[in-house]
Structures are given as C-alpha cells and as structure tokens.
Amino acid sequence: MSTLSRRRHGPFRTSPRPSLFDALDLYRQRRALARLDDHALDDIGVTREEADAEARRPFWDITRR
C-alpha cells in the first residue's frame, strides 16, 4: 500500500509565497524545538531562550533566512 505525503525534507520551495503546507511544517518544527531538552539544544547550538522565542512565533510568521 502506498501513501502520499506532502512532507518534504529541506528548505522551503523558492516560490514568493509559502504554501499552507510550508506553514504547517514550520509549526510542527517549532513545536518539536520547544520539546527539546537543554542537552539537545546545546548539541545544536541553540539556547533555551532562542528556542522558546522561535516556538512562540505564530505559524504564519515565515521568514526566509
């Protein structure tokens, strides 16, 4: 049985407007970041304050960096 998935790995598409799927994917990533413990955050070079600030951003706030 095959499954269709919209989940992508990697950066957002290069279209000027992110899709709803991009926003939902980012929302999930931010929730996962908020659940990491301090040791895991240290491994990826992010402080607790930075992780909390990113997790508090609304799902529609997509900034391309």
Side-chain angles (χ1 to χ4, degrees):
M1 177 173 170
S2 63
T3 305
L4 297 176
S5 174
R6 295 280 310 199
R7 187 173 185 143
R8 292 178 318 279
H9 299 282
F12 295 119
R13 288 179 295 215
T14 57
S15 68
R17 281 186 20 187
S19 72
L20 177 60
F21 292 105
D22 290 331
L24 291 174
D25 192 40
L26 184 58
Y27 171 79
R28 289 183 193 109
Q29 291 176 33
R30 288 176 177 164
R31 298 287 73 86
L33 181 65
R35 289 190 301 268
L36 292 178
D37 63 13
D38 290 335
H39 181 73
L41 290 173
D42 188 45
D43 283 348
I44 63 172
V46 176
T47 66
R48 170 58 56 197
E49 293 78 24
E50 292 169 333
D52 289 343
E54 183 67 24
R56 282 192 303 269
R57 291 173 59 188
F59 72 90
W60 61 83
D61 185 5
I62 298 175
T63 305
R64 294 173 194 263
R65 297 176 195 203

